[in-house]
Amino acid sequence: GLSFVKGLAYGSGLPFVGVDHVLAHLYAPHLAEAIEYPYLGLLVSGGHTLIARVEAFDRMEVLGATIDDACGEAFDKIAKHYDLGYPGGAAIDRLAAGGDRRAFRFPWPSLHKGEHPFDVSYSGLKTAAANQLEQFWDRRYERTPENLAAAFQATAIDLLVDRLLKAVEHTGLRTVVVGGGVAANSYLRSRLGQEQGLRVIFPPFALCTDNAAMVAGLGYHYLTRGERSPLDLNAAARVQGLRRLYP
């Protein structure tokens, strides 16, 4: 994609601007309503899970991140493991609507070593749901795909919301902007909607997953500021600071 755009810009004489994928996801809600900076950004997608203080369209400070699997990645892997459907996040969300979260009591990560107040981990939850299901099954409930989906979803999202609320308390910021594919999750939207005193802004459903509008919207601000990117700009699959080391 990057190579194609470079060629297009070079051949047509159009300006070329490189856009940070993470910042673009956090910018997506700005396409639907006016949002003032600073705010807490919550990015949850198949590739990233992070909590950040967002100061401007091109500037953020990462407060918390995943130390292993991203939230959406865990959804996708569990859905694939049990053949629940594709895309995994949407399939689990759909099944969870008919399930009971109390059927499985999945553990939270301890992250007790070092300073990790806003970080998350999903490898343990993924392992528990995929390989240790019997251990966490409450036999008063049926072992159904719907109950599994409801319990897994609730555990994954509640962990995320817990870390986010700690960041709210730490920063004093009362506006939360959510981006990424998991922003479409109904339980996340409901769970955050219940928090009193918070303004929580989600992107429209069409702008939750990767889309050209969020990239173009962010690129517009660079262009109006007179910035251009060099044609030797390279892509980076992993960005330092967007994942944590443990401990």
Side-chain angles (χ1 to χ4, degrees), residues 10-236:
Y10 181 79
S12 63
L14 292 172
F16 167 63
V17 176
V19 170
D20 186 309
H21 181 83
V22 170
L23 289 174
H25 267 304
L26 290 176
Y27 183 77
H30 290 258
L31 296 170
E33 61 181 287
I35 309 170
E36 292 185 0
Y37 296 100
Y39 56 73
L40 273 181
L42 174 64
L43 175 62
V44 261
S45 71
H48 300 92
T49 300
L50 62 87
I51 298 168
R53 180 186 176 98
V54 183
E55 300 284 355
F57 72 88
D58 61 345
R59 190 169 73 254
M60 70 175 183
E61 174 193 1
V62 176
L63 302 176
T66 180
I67 66 167
D68 40 55
D69 290 343
C71 183
E73 188 179 6
F75 271 81
D76 289 340
K77 287 180 177 179
I78 292 302
K80 183 177 182 180
H81 182 82
Y82 288 106
D83 196 22
L84 300 179
Y86 182 85
I92 288 178
D93 194 8
R94 193 163 50 247
L95 284 169
D100 192 324
R101 60 176 295 179
R102 296 171 295 180
F104 299 90
R105 300 178 181 274
F106 294 122
W108 279 24
S110 59
L111 298 184
H112 59 280
K113 298 178 182 178
E115 293 296 323
H116 294 272
F118 314 122
D119 293 336
V120 295
S121 168
Y122 285 102
S123 63
L125 173 60
K126 180 190 67 179
T127 299
N131 303 322
Q132 302 169 337
L133 200 59
E134 293 290 329
Q135 181 179 340
F136 301 105
W137 176 27
D138 185 334
R139 285 165 172 75
R140 293 175 296 177
Y141 300 89
E142 289 187 72
R143 182 175 163 173
T144 64
E146 290 79 9
N147 285 347
L148 170 61
F152 177 84
Q153 175 174 269
T155 305
I157 298 301
D158 284 346
L159 167 63
L160 193 62
V161 172
D162 175 81
R163 301 302 193 261
L164 176 65
L165 295 180
K166 287 180 179 177
V168 168
E169 183 178 353
H170 174 75
T171 62
L173 295 172
R174 310 300 299 181
T175 299
V176 174
V177 175
V178 188
V182 185
N185 181 269
S186 62
Y187 182 70
L188 177 61
R189 288 181 174 241
S190 171
R191 182 74 176 75
L192 285 179
Q194 296 169 12
E195 294 298 326
Q196 299 296 317
L198 276 188
R199 182 191 180 201
V200 183
I201 304 170
F202 286 89
F205 286 107
L207 300 180
C208 288
T209 53
D210 293 350
N211 61 87
M214 69 183 191
V215 174
L218 194 57
Y220 164 81
H221 288 281
Y222 289 110
L223 284 172
T224 56
R225 203 163 62 181
E227 295 186 23
R228 305 291 188 272
S229 297
L231 289 176
D232 62 356
L233 179 71
N234 217 336

